[in-house]
Amino acid sequence: MDTQYAFLPRNALDQLLDALRKAGFDRLVGPIARDGAIVYDTLTSAAQLPHGYRDEQAPGRYRLHQADSGRCFSWANGTQTLKPLTFAPQEVLWHCERDAEGCLRFKNPTVNHSPTAVIGVRACDLVALRLQERHFLGGRFHDPHYGARRESLFLLAVHCTHPAKTCFCASTGDGPKAAIGFDIALSELDEGFILEAGSLRGGELIRTLALDDATERQRELAKTEIETAALQQSRSLPSQNLREALYARLEDRHWDKIGMRCLSCGNCTAVCPTCFCHAEHSVPTLDGTQTTHQRQWDSCFTAVHSYMGHFLVREETRLRYRQWLSHKLASWHDQYGRSGCVGCGRCITWCPSGIDLTAEVAALTRQETSHV
Amino acid sequence: MSAWSPEHPDALDQLNQRPQPRPKVAVHKFSSCDGCQLAFINAGEALITLSQLVDIVHFAEAGPLDAEAEVDIAFVEGSISTPHEKERIEQVRRQSRFLVSIGACATSGGLQALRNFNSHSAEQWTQAVYAQPAYIDSLETATPVAEHVKVDLELWGCPVNARQVFAAIRALLFGVMPLIDKDKLCVECKRRGNVCVLVAKGEPCMGPVTHLGCGALCPAFGRDCYACFGPAENPNTHALARRFVGLGLLPEEIAHRFHFINSHTPAFRSAGLEWAE
Ligand code: SF4
Ligand code: SF4
Ligand code: SF4
Ligand code: SF4
């Protein structure tokens, strides 16, 4: 049987989850509706998936609605996807202990990353994962913690069919069709799912299910839904390379205007799947004989992020926002050879102040540079 | 993370030059609910470890009583609300090498500082509230410790938590200033993986202007932060207040968001006044 495109009936979704468990992925992580949003959590059965949920997203606003549909993936994206699973929000890098002679002894933390299958990963998040891999694993220094977590993941993607108003992955070229980095990609139709292998182990897993091939009609339907999803996106960035455009406007007055509205709260960086900044500090025990060295998410919107010697490089909010946008869309090109934005729109939705980077880029690049 | 402005290095020198390595510690109480002192008492095992590292010479709520003792580190809970407290805080300062104010009352005047806005005099209030007003001797205002004496370190929160207090003591035992992270609560909220109550539910969350430290406790339980830890560094109260307008709050309701537990801090005081008028 040709497993290039296999058809999984809707009521057989649990068989897929069972097959993942049989293949050694004891921990299944997938989307569920909780606290008014789609969040990633431990999944024990397909019944927990957000059946019939639709999301409504706008700058600074996210709402879930129950629609009359049996589909599980008819929403765009939730609060987070892969980032917390690979780049932990908080983690211990090492322990240090002072022994009776006063010598310092360093110990690695015991890390146990049980094999995990993630269900429902989106195209933008797969590209973002690739970009974070470049950062944490690609250079001279390989991050073993990141690497171990990354290696433990089996990725089951879903091609997007219901983009949110905040999505613009079509304009960045990163979606809505999952193109890279998945083990299996899934197209959701009313009657069930088309499974498509993206890796050898993904193909093997599909074969164990002994499914029929998807029909020509089913594949056409799926293709049309993805194409329509791309056309539905209303936001965009004017170019996939804004390096020159932004470097030319570093002194633009518009940064001041953003600074008036920006709360410098760091929510945009926390939800951005490509942001990787972190801070490290030692946490001693009260008796002073042991410390744990901890790493946690940081952001270019915190004061300490720009602390140097004895002063803050970016005291004002406008400079912090400028750092974020000009790194993401300009100096990423110098650093990693492309823009750091995959068009997921999360920074727009989860900004408490409703700041929309696509609108800010448009305002900055619309006219000739207006210098202070 | 006040690393770029060690607040009072001279006081740290004083502390580090103490004659005996084992510091003497006092916990003093002023106008407050005693909740911050519970950060010590609730610490359980850590309190036993602490008693092996320092001498607690005065801590009325826990037992030891020697309010006049000269100490190396004094923790002060509560605001300055009576003429007697005004004198007493100066006395505490004179007898302490390093003074730490703990909790909203001591750092900002606390909830009771709401009386600082009122046109009714403290005397009118006491007449209205108490059966025997003659026994009440109150100042017109409730103010933070730092408005009266030099404070070497402030630990915010209503109440402060044991983690902050013990981390500060540990740093001082090492002879360094504790790092106080003044980032916004949102940073902590996202690390914890909470769903944002402002964005997903339209709740008027104060997190974007609030000093982190509580672990984003309220959003973790689905409710909006009411800023019990006071203002964060660089708080954009104007932008948040405008967002609250968008969420449908009335001007008076916006004023109340800022004029609550830490109303006497300059950032919250002025933000609230803009909307109260
Ligand atoms: S910058 Fe915004 S839209 Fe782009 S990848 Fe990050 S969160 Fe998504
Ligand atoms: S752009 Fe929005 S989310 Fe980002 S720091 Fe500013 S207010 Fe916060
Ligand atoms: S719930 Fe409040 S503290 Fe948490 S991210 Fe949202 S605005 Fe910030
Ligand atoms: S969330 Fe806000 S109000 Fe609640 S404990 Fe934390 S700082 Fe205080």
Side-chain angles (χ1 to χ4, degrees):
Chain A
M1 186 195 67
D2 173 18
T3 52
Q4 269 262 257
Y5 295 97
F7 178 72
L8 180 80
R10 178 160 293 281
N11 59 14
L13 202 49
D14 272 317
Q15 287 173 25
L16 176 62
L17 303 190
D18 286 340
L20 285 165
R21 278 191 212 97
K22 271 199 209 104
F25 297 97
D26 299 330
R27 183 170 162 238
L28 303 183
V29 169
I32 61 165
R34 180 183 12 99
D35 301 333
I38 305 280
V39 296
Y40 271 75
D41 208 336
T42 307
L43 205 66
T44 48
S45 95
Q48 288 169 284
L49 291 168
H51 290 271
Y53 277 98
R54 297 292 311 271
D55 55 354
E56 177 207 324
Q57 300 191 44
R61 186 182 157 87
Y62 184 103
R63 292 291 185 279
L64 275 185
H65 305 289
Q66 187 77 56
D68 190 19
S69 147
R71 291 201 182 193
C72 324
F73 300 104
S74 51
W75 42 274
N77 55 32
T79 50
Q80 292 276 0
T81 54
L82 295 169
K83 186 161 93 168
L85 296 173
T86 47
F87 171 30
Q90 262 167 323
E91 68 180 312
V92 174
L93 297 184
W94 68 73
H95 296 281
C96 180
E97 202 175 318
R98 199 199 312 266
D99 66 16
E101 282 86 54
C103 290
L104 294 183
R105 306 214 174 277
F106 291 87
K107 272 192 305 191
N108 281 323
T110 36
V111 266
N112 176 23
H113 302 305
S114 49
T116 301
V118 192
I119 291 122
V121 186
R122 304 307 176 122
C124 54
D125 295 314
L126 290 166
V127 181
L129 177 71
R130 187 63 55 95
L131 294 180
Q132 282 219 330
E133 283 170 4
R134 206 173 289 172
H135 177 75
F136 285 105
L137 306 174
R140 265 172 67 210
F141 303 102
H142 174 99
D143 184 318
H145 296 258
Y146 186 97
R149 278 189 295 260
R150 172 65 191 97
E151 272 160 37
S152 70
L153 297 184
F154 182 100
L155 300 176
L156 209 141
V158 175
H159 299 304
C160 270
T161 50
H162 291 72
K165 290 213 170 67
T166 42
C167 291
F168 56 102
C169 62
S171 107
T172 63
D174 300 309
K177 186 179 189 332
I180 55 156
F182 57 83
D183 292 294
I184 296 177
L186 218 140
S187 273
E188 185 172 31
L189 303 172
D190 285 339
E191 63 229 65
F193 305 89
I194 300 176
L195 306 187
E196 165 193 351
S199 68
L200 280 175
R201 59 179 187 172
E204 280 162 23
L205 195 123
I206 297 176
R207 269 190 292 281
T208 65
L209 293 168
L211 302 170
D212 290 335
D213 284 349
T215 62
E216 195 60 34
R217 184 193 61 89
Q218 287 169 331
R219 288 174 54 187
E220 265 313 307
L221 265 176
K223 190 160 163 273
T224 315
E225 287 207 16
I226 298 168
E227 284 165 5
T228 314
L231 294 172
Q232 278 168 357
Q233 297 186 8
S234 52
R235 282 186 163 75
S236 65
L237 284 177
S239 156
Q240 287 176 13
N241 191 344
L242 291 159
R243 184 178 174 276
E244 301 309 323
L246 288 177
Y247 281 165
R249 290 166 172 87
L250 291 177
E251 301 305 326
D252 200 285
R253 271 192 232 111
H254 190 69
W255 302 110
D256 300 332
K257 291 191 194 153
I258 307 173
M260 307 275 285
R261 284 179 290 134
C262 175
L263 301 159
S264 186
C265 65
N267 273 300
C268 46
T269 60
V271 298
C272 178
T274 70
C275 274
F276 48 64
C277 281
H278 49 81
E280 289 177 20
H281 54 268
S282 279
V283 182
T285 53
L286 184 56
D287 67 5
T289 61
Q290 296 174 38
T291 67
T292 52
H293 195 75
Q294 300 186 355
R295 168 165 81 181
Q296 57 188 14
W297 287 357
D298 197 12
S299 164
C300 45
F301 287 96
T302 69
V304 171
H305 192 270
S306 75
Y307 171 64
M308 232 188 233
H310 223 77
F311 74 108
L312 291 182
V313 179
R314 296 184 293 270
E315 181 104 56
E316 299 159 61
T317 303
R318 85 186 162 92
L319 296 178
R320 299 186 194 178
Y321 189 90
R322 188 181 76 175
Q323 166 65 26
W324 141 255
L325 199 74
S326 63
H327 182 217
K328 187 77 34 189
L329 301 178
S331 50
W332 260 76
H333 289 273
D334 300 301
Q335 209 177 353
Y336 299 108
R338 65 155 283 173
S339 141
C341 177
V342 298
C344 74
R346 283 195 186 84
C347 58
I348 305 173
T349 299
W350 298 100
C351 170
S353 204
I355 295 175
D356 172 354
L357 89 164
T358 65
E360 302 312 336
V361 168
L364 279 160
T365 56
R366 187 175 299 134
Q367 70 272 357
E368 284 306 297
T369 57
S370 63
H371 283 281
V372 193
Chain B
M1 292 203 198
S2 55
W4 66 89
S5 64
E7 280 149 65
H8 295 289
D10 49 345
L12 188 62
D13 290 346
Q14 290 277 314
L15 178 61
N16 290 340
Q17 284 154 16
R18 63 185 178 268
Q20 72 297 334
R22 199 178 153 91
K24 285 194 169 61
V25 172
V27 182
H28 295 279
K29 176 194 153 60
F30 287 76
S31 289
S32 60
C33 74
D34 288 27
C36 287
Q37 296 178 59
L38 291 176
F40 288 90
I41 293 173
N42 288 344
E45 210 179 311
L47 194 57
I48 298 171
T49 312
L50 182 70
S51 66
Q52 288 158 357
L53 299 166
V54 305
D55 283 324
I56 303 177
V57 296
H58 174 71
F59 188 1
E61 190 158 310
L65 272 182
D66 187 359
E68 265 89 69
E70 300 257 328
V71 297
D72 299 301
I73 308 172
F75 288 93
V76 176
E77 177 200 85
S79 68
I80 309 305
S81 305
T82 68
H84 177 231
E85 284 179 341
K86 222 168 133 70
E87 285 164 30
R88 197 153 65 83
I89 191 62
E90 281 169 25
Q91 179 57 35
V92 166
R93 178 68 265 192
R94 278 195 294 274
Q95 67 202 36
S96 315
R97 285 173 187 262
F98 196 94
L99 191 150
V100 187
S101 56
I102 56 169
C105 303
T107 49
S108 84
L111 200 56
Q112 60 272 33
L114 284 170
R115 80 174 184 227
N116 303 355
F117 290 103
N118 216 287
S119 46
H120 301 286
S121 70
E123 200 189 324
Q124 273 177 292
W125 279 115
T126 36
Q127 299 284 350
V129 174
Y130 294 98
Q132 304 279 343
Y135 292 117
I136 309 290
D137 188 10
S138 188
L139 291 171
E140 286 289 313
T141 55
T143 43
V145 174
E147 283 190 20
H148 300 268
V149 297
K150 183 165 82 72
V151 170
D152 304 310
L153 178 71
E154 294 185 331
L155 298 178
W156 291 77
C158 182
V160 285
N161 55 49
R163 188 168 46 84
Q164 290 166 286
V165 172
F166 285 86
I169 294 174
R170 181 62 257 169
L172 293 175
L173 286 168
F174 280 142
V176 297
M177 279 300 280
L179 290 178
I180 307 294
D181 191 340
K182 293 175 177 153
D183 294 340
K184 277 91 183 177
L185 183 69
C186 299
V187 174
E188 216 168 37
C189 192
K190 280 289 183 287
R191 282 185 199 132
R192 188 168 174 160
N194 295 336
V195 175
C196 177
V197 300
L198 192 154
V199 170
K201 293 204 240 164
E203 300 288 349
C205 186
M206 290 287 281
V209 295
T210 299
H211 191 301
L212 58 68
C214 69
L217 200 55
C218 295
F221 289 93
R223 63 156 298 172
D224 43 326
C225 165
Y226 53 89
C228 79
F229 267 62
E233 64 85 31
N234 187 24
N236 192 344
T237 51
H238 299 278
L240 189 63
R242 278 198 299 273
R243 182 72 180 108
F244 289 169
V245 175
L247 295 176
L249 268 70
L250 300 170
E252 196 192 352
E253 293 171 318
I254 296 172
H256 285 162
R257 296 303 287 160
F258 292 100
H259 290 173
F260 190 33
I261 290 180
N262 292 290
S263 64
H264 193 72
T265 58
F268 287 0
R269 188 183 164 85
S270 62
L273 283 175
E274 264 172 55
W275 294 88
E277 282 153 10

